[in-house]
Amino acid sequence: MAIRTLDDLDAAGTTVGVRVDINSPLANDRSLADDARLRAHVETLDELLDRGARVAVLAHQGRPGGDEFARLEPHAARLDELLAGPVSYCDATFTVGARDAVEALDDGEAVLLENTRFYSEEYMEFDPERASETFLVERLSPALDAYVNDAFAAAHRSQPSLVGFPPVLDAYAGRVMETELDVLGSVNDQPDPRVDIVGGAKVADSIDVVRHVLEHDLATEVLTTGVVANVFMLAASVDIGDASAAFVREEGYWDQVERAATLLDGHRDRVRLPVDVAVERDGERVELDRDTLPPREGESVMDIGHDTIEAYSEVVADAGTVVLNGPAGVFEDDVFADGTRELFTEVAESDAYSVVGGGDSAAAIRRFGIDGFDHVSTGGGAALRMLTGEPLPAVDALDQ
């Protein structure tokens, strides 16, 4: 790929549109509950402002109809505190008012335009040429001299703000995007043995990763946790109980059980399943060995057990590289946080080169204050897609 970075951009005196991903948890009063994603983009935005660019920031928050579908005014206020240069807010994205706000910027100033997903086109997927003909791109691009995409976390999408500007403007990768592509693109070159830990609830994406690393002999072992482990245990005919099986079915994951069974048929010696699990019984954590399953009626598998944590930790201790995707259980509940906290801590403190796939994994790391990973991705779905070798539309659009 021939992707240009900020090193190739003569930023002084130019107006640059910068797509970031600052989609964040919100408090009940719609204020920011976590500013981690904003802080991730400080390097890119500060560099452009320091170099004398006028910066129009594009971003989204939530999804239509969702509880966190909201205006970006609190995000602008927080960016104004985080960045060296001033950041204002505009309650429009591509109207005359938005263009006037962009054109009124002085060198070294930024404006955060309104939530791109307030407009229906942004919730649709297009190829770059078609995306360049949307109202967002056609109306806003005349006010810009260049485009920077720093939104790696959304790079698996092909929405207008992500793929529509490169056909009509000189386009560059921001520092977050550049780092993610460098690190995730080179993870297969890191020391062996490689261990992939897959968990969480993104079952289809996780099984894609498992299939990819096993079929290409990239991982020595795959350790399963979370809902992903439940699916693999069902595939191995382990009775995890009616409640957990019903959850898998209700969430639309049942077709993934067959995929998991196929992987176990071909690679059973390299895929590890939990040897014990934790369920909730009368408000308490109760751990059950696999051979004592199923749990009682109504009890769901909520975490891996301590025997599994110990067994997985021994594998991690001998690893040269660990790729970690997804929490081990319902880590938001202190009763079922042990698997995620202890396993993640083991990875962080190991001698292995460690990469974390973002999303809920990153949220867990922040919750528990765990340090020591070599790289924590800003993107959950995008990181998973990249680890499977699948193309990322927003990255492909930057390849000029």
Side-chain angles (χ1 to χ4, degrees):
M1 282 191 170
I3 294 178
R4 292 178 291 189
T5 71
L6 296 190
D7 295 334
D8 304 301
L9 172 60
D10 186 4
T14 63
T15 302
V16 183
V18 183
R19 179 58 158 98
V20 297
D21 191 327
I22 51 176
N23 187 28
S24 303
L26 301 181
N28 291 335
D29 63 358
R30 316 294 271 177
S31 64
L32 288 170
D34 187 332
D35 68 353
R37 283 199 160 179
L38 283 76
R39 287 185 280 108
H41 295 288
V42 165
E43 181 181 4
T44 292
L45 296 173
D46 258 349
E47 179 176 345
L48 288 168
L49 295 176
D50 289 345
R51 290 165 57 183
R54 301 181 291 272
V55 177
V57 184
L58 290 157
H60 72 275
Q61 172 64 49
R63 299 185 178 194
D67 292 339
E68 295 187 335
F69 191 51
R71 300 168 63 191
L72 296 183
E73 191 168 13
H75 305 64
R78 182 59 179 142
L79 284 174
D80 188 49
E81 295 171 348
L82 292 170
L83 299 181
V87 181
S88 57
Y89 162 73
C90 177
D91 63 357
T93 307
F94 58 81
T95 63
V96 171
R99 297 195 298 274
D100 286 347
V102 174
E103 291 168 357
L105 291 171
D106 289 329
D107 294 355
E109 292 183 349
V111 59
L112 176 60
L113 301 176
E114 188 55 280
N115 189 341
T116 59
R117 288 187 178 173
F118 280 3
Y119 307 96
S120 59
E121 289 177 321
E122 183 66 7
Y123 203 60
M124 301 165 68
E125 304 267 332
F126 301 94
D127 64 72
E129 291 298 331
R130 176 66 185 86
S132 71
E133 298 170 354
T134 59
F135 283 105
L136 170 66
V137 179
E138 281 195 338
R139 299 286 179 86
L140 187 59
S141 58
L144 306 175
D145 299 311
Y147 170 78
V148 171
N149 194 338
D150 208 33
F152 175 78
H156 54 311
R157 311 292 187 191
S158 57
Q159 294 154 343
S161 68
L162 294 160
V163 302
F165 288 99
V168 296
L169 294 170
D170 287 338
Y172 306 83
R175 296 306 185 195
V176 169
M177 181 72 78
E178 180 185 4
T179 298
E180 295 279 11
L181 296 180
D182 285 347
V183 172
L184 296 177
S186 63
V187 70
N188 295 338
D189 301 324
Q190 299 303 324
D192 290 330
R194 168 174 162 178
V195 174
D196 275 48
I197 304 174
V198 293
K202 289 187 175 179
V203 176
D205 289 341
S206 294
I207 291 181
D208 284 341
V209 172
V210 176
R211 177 193 54 77
H212 180 74
V213 299
L214 292 176
E215 291 182 354
H216 292 82
D217 289 325
L218 299 176
T220 307
E221 288 191 84
V222 174
L223 313 181
T224 63
T225 67
V227 181
V228 177
N230 289 354
V231 168
F232 272 92
M233 285 192 287
L234 286 168
S237 299
V238 176
D239 190 346
I240 60 174
D242 292 342
S244 292
F247 177 83
V248 170
R249 193 182 300 276
E250 289 164 4
E251 294 297 312
Y253 300 146
W254 201 259
D255 58 333
Q256 302 301 321
V257 175
E258 184 175 343
R259 294 183 65 206
T262 299
L263 289 170
L264 289 176
D265 286 344
H267 308 279
R268 185 63 186 88
D269 59 328
R270 295 163 63 195
V271 180
R272 286 214 184 189
L273 309 183
V275 296
D276 63 342
V277 298
V279 301
E280 182 175 4
R281 182 173 297 170
D282 300 325
E284 300 291 333
R285 177 189 179 100
V286 174
E287 298 192 357
L288 304 172
D289 292 338
R290 204 163 67 198
D291 58 7
T292 64
L293 292 172
R296 295 176 183 175
E297 183 177 354
E299 294 179 347
S300 296
V301 175
M302 306 286 279
D303 194 13
I304 57 174
H306 282 84
D307 286 346
T308 301
I309 296 169
E310 183 177 349
Y312 285 3
S313 295
E314 291 175 0
V315 176
V316 168
D318 292 332
T321 300
V322 177
V323 179
L324 180 56
N325 276 298
V330 186
F331 71 91
E332 300 89 347
D333 185 338
D334 289 342
V335 177
F336 299 105
D338 290 7
T340 301
R341 182 181 57 247
E342 294 181 27
L343 187 56
F344 279 33
T345 300
E346 190 71 31
V347 174
E349 294 179 353
S350 73
D351 294 330
Y353 179 83
S354 54
V355 174
V356 182
D360 287 341
S361 301
I365 288 168
R366 292 194 296 273
R367 174 181 172 84
F368 301 128
I370 303 171
D371 295 315
F373 299 100
D374 290 287
H375 179 70
V376 179
S377 177
T378 58
L384 284 169
R385 179 79 68 89
M386 194 163 179
L387 289 169
T388 64
E390 295 294 318
L392 298 175
V395 174
D396 288 346
L398 292 174
D399 183 10
Q400 301 182 317

